[in-house]
Amino acid sequence: MKNSVLLSAMTIAGLAAGAAAAGTLDDVKARGTLNCGVTTGLVGFAAPDANGVWEGFDVGMCRALAAAVLGDPNAVEFVPTTGSTRFTALASGEIDFLARNTTWTFSRDVDLKFEFIGINYYDGQGFMVPRALGVSSAKDLDGATVCIQTGTTTELNLADYFRSNNISYEPVPIETNAEGQQQYLAGACDTYTTDASGLAATRATFENPDDHVLLPEIISKEPLGPLVRHGDNEWADVARWTLNALVAAEELGVTSANIAEMANGTNNPEINRLLGTEGGLGAMLGLGSDWAMNAIMAGGNYGELFEKNIGENTPIGLARGLNAMWTEGGLIYTPPFR
Amino acid sequence: MTTLIDPPKISFRLSQLIYDTRYRSITIQVIASILLIAGIYWLVNNTIQNLAALGKDFDFGFLTQPAGYDINQRLIGYTSQSSHGMAALVGILNTLLVAFLGCLLATVLGVTAGVLRLSNNWVVSRLMAVYVEGFRNVPLLLWIIAIMALMTEGMSRIREFRVGGDAGMILNDSVAVTNRGIYIPSVILENGFMTSSAMNWLVLLVILMISLFFVRGVRKRSDAVQEDTGVRPTTWYKQLIILVIPVGLVMVLMGAELQYPELRGFNFSDGIHLRNSLIALWLALSLYTGAFIAEIVRAGILAISKGQSEAAFALGLRPNRTTSLVILPQAMRVIIPPLISQYLNLTKNSSLAIAVGYMDVRSTLGGITINQTGRELEGMLLLGAFYLVLSLTISGAMNVYNNRTQLQER
């Protein structure tokens, strides 16, 4: 046992050694690939398709960043992480960028020493129950068995919600979404709780999605966003403005279809600055002038990514809701490119 | 004329450090310890530097912060408002519970299988060989997950227990085998002497210990009678009376009552809930370690010379008396030392609990707490220290037992 203490200390020391190296931007450029942490599989957000190619909303974020930095949306090494391994993977330098439905909270930002670069999905925690159970409200779940992913904010929200409503429950801790799905479908738990988007994505993969309902209560705010390590401001800027570029592109009407045409110059100076024909914003980030263009071409602008992966025409069928542009009553907004 | 000449004094040369066997071992040891110290220094220094670079400090204060998460299996009072330290303690108790149950069942299984594998009955010995080789040669993790899958997928759902469902409770409606675990009746003390139920159980335990003390007295007396007269008095009913009557009487006074599990709302309530995770982990650990113990027991028995059993038979002892009075006491000396390592293995293997979501100390302190607080280094060190202390305690206790069963040379 003495050895294992030493070993764990060594592992942590070794991992930390990776983190303390030079700027992440230089590391990624030198390596030629971006190490991107994603989920172990949540259809619509990040999951490998039939050919083993990762796709999804979070994957699109990784590809856009890789395209901005390296010019190639496929120069990404996807690292599947669980709710409880993701932070260690990022803190240790195993991954450069974590895009895994991660809720932006105070303690994660301040105490865990991470830097959230923005919010790419406004979510909230919901409950899914089998229709046959006849439950219509989360408040009726007194005494229910609840499947819950460990190491997530949902675990804490769940405890708070049941305590504040003075009802009891039996938690069944699970490690991955796949495990939760299996336990839920086997009836080992009455309800499965996680982010409402995750529930919708999970339900879409069921044999009979209509046999399951999402309860109306959304018990928490879950602003999901990608994050990087605290302290490397250059890298955080690159990641933040790549996300902002995707949002700005939607706002300015730049899509993957018309971007080639717009890149030749337009009458709108902000589009010109975004696409690099004016202003030299790319150089300020330490990237080429076509960084944002590459990022947008990787998978389209924010709206295109949304519609293609999780939008209403996909099996997951999420409405834009809070995630509509601010001009359309949503919360998606970016500071100006100036 | 003879003169006594001192042997010529050879002055010390540096090369002696390598070529002189008197000094060589010291040289090697010094170099090795310098390397070791340098290695440790590098590790510690690296850790401190990198913690500083990440802006993290080394602090155990998180143990007093509220944990915020719930734990399903609690042996002591715990709510989500309790501290991370309490959560760790709940996890520690769960680890101890599964390790204790596991060691117990593994020993029973192992000794039975080990003895039976030497049986003259071909079918029995082959069956035991299949058990031992089957469990010994497949990774433990697979058995844990297999048993978990069997429980969740194979057993009846709760809804099938509702009116009109096709599943029912067994054993006179007292036990429910569901895919959420097994619900068994519990004993409750309606009007105990003490305020808390734990204290009441402690009272019962003390009474039981006292009874056991008297049972030992009875046994000692019958030993003495046997020494004197050669006839052992029949005392089993006395022992039974001493053991059962006082505890039974006090339990009746305390208003002990069986509480049966009952389907209410979403789940069975009342009774004791043996969760799938506990069952899967417990059975898999026991079956797996039991297979190793079976081999140790078999080796121990085979190590006893055949002459011993032949002599016992010649004295007219029946085979089962031969095993229990002649073979096993001698075999124990061979069995116990490797048995200790099996107990340690089982205890440490219980950290595979994470695979089925059993909330042991690895899952609470080493899992959720680390994840919520970001204190990986502190958490892992505490976890390592806990397993170290636990393992040393087990091996210390077993060594005491080992010394008592050793051959007493006079």
Side-chain angles (χ1 to χ4, degrees):
Chain A
M1 269 326 291
K2 204 178 239 161
N3 279 342
S4 69
V5 177
L6 190 67
L7 269 181
S8 50
M10 271 172 75
T11 319
I12 291 167
L15 293 175
T24 313
L25 181 57
D26 296 333
D27 286 351
V28 172
K29 280 181 180 167
R31 197 187 308 128
T33 55
L34 172 75
N35 292 335
C36 196
V38 290
T39 70
T40 50
L42 179 61
V43 172
F45 286 88
D49 68 3
N51 302 319
V53 180
W54 283 88
E55 58 180 24
F57 187 66
D58 285 336
V59 167
M61 201 47 227
C62 295
R63 292 201 190 284
L65 184 61
V69 176
L70 302 165
D72 178 6
N74 294 319
V76 189
E77 189 76 51
F78 290 100
V79 180
T81 56
T82 67
S84 53
T85 63
R86 54 186 163 178
F87 296 130
T88 319
L90 182 60
S92 66
E94 186 187 344
I95 53 178
D96 306 308
F97 181 70
L98 179 65
R100 191 207 174 275
N101 325 80
T102 303
T103 308
W104 187 350
T105 68
F106 180 92
S107 62
R108 285 174 177 175
D109 198 336
V110 179
D111 194 34
L112 265 57
K113 308 287 180 196
F114 293 121
E115 191 80 26
F116 283 83
I117 58 146
I119 294 166
N120 68 347
Y121 192 95
Y122 289 89
D123 208 343
Q125 179 175 353
F127 293 90
M128 173 163 61
V129 292
R131 199 178 286 278
L133 203 59
V135 171
S136 58
S137 159
K139 296 208 168 83
D140 298 341
L141 289 173
D142 190 11
T145 305
V146 183
C147 274
I148 175 82
Q149 289 191 42
T150 61
T152 58
T153 49
T154 51
E155 193 172 35
L156 307 179
N157 298 333
L158 181 71
D160 287 350
Y161 181 77
F162 276 78
R163 195 167 62 91
S164 60
N165 282 294
N166 224 352
I167 49 181
S168 67
Y169 70 106
E170 154 97 13
V172 174
I174 48 144
E175 188 71 3
T176 63
N177 191 56
E179 202 185 323
Q181 186 173 330
Q182 182 257 328
Q183 296 263 328
Y184 171 74
L185 287 177
C189 40
D190 295 306
T191 173
Y192 181 30
T193 179
T194 184
D195 299 337
S197 63
L199 289 178
T202 305
R203 187 175 67 161
T205 64
F206 287 176
E207 207 172 327
N208 299 310
D210 292 338
D211 291 351
H212 303 270
V213 285
L214 303 190
L215 296 182
E217 284 89 351
I218 296 294
I219 65 168
S220 67
K221 288 191 289 185
E222 305 285 338
L224 308 181
L227 55 156
V228 297
R229 276 182 299 280
H230 189 82
D232 188 347
N233 294 344
E234 286 74 23
W235 178 243
D237 284 344
V238 169
R240 177 176 302 114
W241 285 96
T242 304
L243 172 61
N244 287 345
L246 299 183
V247 174
E250 186 183 7
E251 189 182 328
L252 298 169
V254 180
T255 66
S256 52
N258 64 17
I259 191 167
E261 185 190 327
M262 286 190 172
N264 296 328
T266 61
N267 297 331
N268 186 334
E270 186 153 16
I271 294 179
N272 293 348
R273 281 195 294 272
L274 179 67
L275 299 183
T277 48
E278 259 182 62
L281 297 183
M284 298 178 198
L285 283 173
L287 300 174
S289 60
D290 57 352
W291 65 282
M293 197 173 89
N294 289 335
I296 295 160
M297 277 164 69
N301 62 31
Y302 179 87
E304 286 178 278
L305 273 178
F306 195 104
E307 290 307 332
K308 193 164 58 191
N309 293 304
I310 51 178
E312 280 177 307
N313 298 323
T314 65
I316 295 155
L318 292 171
R320 281 299 285 269
L322 286 178
N323 297 296
M325 279 288 131
W326 63 284
T327 48
E328 288 154 28
L331 292 173
I332 297 293
Y333 184 95
T334 169
F337 276 72
R338 178 168 290 283
Chain B
M1 172 183 129
T2 53
T3 47
L4 205 67
I5 309 168
D6 279 342
K9 278 216 163 174
I10 305 169
S11 63
F12 181 77
R13 291 190 306 274
L14 265 184
S15 61
Q16 273 180 296
L17 285 179
I18 298 173
Y19 296 113
D20 191 324
T21 48
R22 283 175 298 173
Y23 300 116
R24 184 156 52 200
S25 62
I26 296 175
T27 318
I28 293 173
Q29 286 176 44
V30 167
I31 293 176
S33 23
I34 289 175
L35 284 178
L36 186 69
I37 291 170
I40 292 173
Y41 173 78
W42 177 81
L43 266 178
V44 172
N45 191 36
N46 199 358
T47 309
I48 292 171
Q49 272 185 9
N50 285 309
L51 280 178
L54 286 171
K56 287 186 172 184
D57 55 353
F58 190 77
D59 180 16
F60 288 98
F62 69 97
L63 288 174
T64 59
Q65 302 292 319
Y69 59 90
D70 281 304
I71 299 176
N72 49 15
Q73 179 179 307
R74 312 173 287 266
L75 298 180
I76 50 171
Y78 170 87
T79 67
S80 59
Q81 291 312 100
S82 307
S83 65
H84 280 296
M86 273 304 277
L89 193 60
V90 171
I92 285 174
L93 288 176
N94 285 342
T95 295
L96 292 179
L97 175 73
V98 77
F100 175 74
L101 291 175
C103 287
L104 215 62
L105 185 58
T107 312
V108 173
L109 285 173
V111 171
T112 313
V115 172
L116 288 184
R117 204 176 168 186
L118 292 169
S119 163
N120 292 326
N121 185 325
W122 189 85
V123 177
V124 170
S125 68
R126 286 303 103 179
L127 269 179
M128 289 304 126
V130 168
Y131 158 64
V132 168
E133 298 306 333
F135 275 88
R136 212 162 55 129
N137 294 307
V138 174
L140 174 56
L141 186 59
L142 294 191
W143 283 118
I144 296 177
I145 293 174
I147 296 176
M148 184 72 178
L150 190 74
M151 289 299 297
T152 48
E153 302 283 352
M155 302 300 156
S156 307
R157 294 169 174 227
I158 292 279
R159 68 156 188 261
E160 286 159 12
F161 285 86
R162 298 211 172 92
V163 180
D166 49 6
M169 294 168 74
I170 53 173
L171 294 178
N172 201 14
D173 268 1
S174 61
V175 174
V177 182
T178 75
N179 72 340
R180 289 177 189 174
I182 299 175
Y183 297 82
I184 58 171
S186 63
V187 179
I188 53 157
L189 305 171
E190 286 277 308
N191 42 2
F193 307 147
M194 304 288 182
T195 42
S196 83
S197 88
M199 289 298 288
N200 282 322
W201 285 108
L202 209 64
V203 168
L204 284 176
L205 194 69
V206 169
I207 293 173
L208 192 69
M209 299 297 260
I210 296 172
S211 300
L212 278 174
F213 181 75
F214 279 107
V215 165
R216 239 181 92 193
V218 169
R219 280 210 194 127
K220 272 196 177 152
R221 229 197 54 187
S222 56
D223 280 352
V225 171
Q226 191 181 15
E227 287 279 308
D228 285 348
T229 65
V231 182
R232 190 177 181 85
T234 317
T235 57
W236 64 265
Y237 59 90
K238 283 188 203 163
Q239 296 184 26
L240 204 67
I241 287 171
I242 296 175
L243 211 58
V244 172
I245 298 288
V247 173
L249 205 64
V250 173
M251 279 180 74
V252 170
L253 282 179
M254 283 181 170
E257 186 170 292
L258 269 185
Q259 199 172 36
Y260 293 100
E262 195 183 328
L263 186 54
R264 222 177 284 139
F266 291 98
N267 283 311
F268 279 91
S269 47
D270 300 339
I272 298 173
H273 181 194
L274 303 174
R275 289 175 179 80
N276 279 342
S277 50
L278 172 68
I279 293 170
L281 191 66
W282 176 32
L283 289 186
L285 280 172
S286 306
L287 287 166
Y288 180 79
T289 316
F292 286 91
I293 293 178
E295 286 298 89
I296 291 169
V297 169
R298 186 167 73 110
I301 292 173
L302 289 178
I304 306 305
S305 143
K306 204 168 163 48
Q308 294 283 325
S309 50
E310 283 171 353
F313 288 144
L315 287 173
L317 287 180
R318 274 164 286 143
N320 58 342
R321 297 294 253 167
T322 307
T323 309
S324 64
L325 290 174
V326 178
I327 307 295
L328 275 183
Q330 297 187 70
M332 284 311 261
R333 296 182 194 135
V334 185
I335 292 172
I336 289 174
L339 192 62
I340 302 175
S341 1
Q342 289 307 322
Y343 285 168
L344 297 183
N345 272 349
L346 188 146
T347 307
K348 287 178 287 177
N349 282 344
S350 71
S351 58
L352 286 171
I354 189 75
V356 286
Y358 179 74
M359 299 306 279
D360 72 336
V361 66
R362 162 70 187 79
S363 308
T364 57
L365 172 68
I368 304 176
T369 293
I370 281 187
N371 205 259
Q372 305 288 8
T373 59
R375 299 280 174 189
E376 293 94 351
L377 190 60
E378 294 91 332
M380 282 297 160
L381 286 177
L382 279 180
L383 205 56
F386 163 70
Y387 280 110
L388 177 66
V389 168
L390 181 59
S391 297
L392 288 181
T393 311
I394 292 174
S395 91
M398 289 300 288
N399 276 327
V400 170
Y401 181 54
N402 188 29
N403 289 337
R404 284 174 52 185
T405 54
Q406 282 302 311
L407 193 60
Q408 306 291 330
E409 298 198 22
R410 275 182 276 259

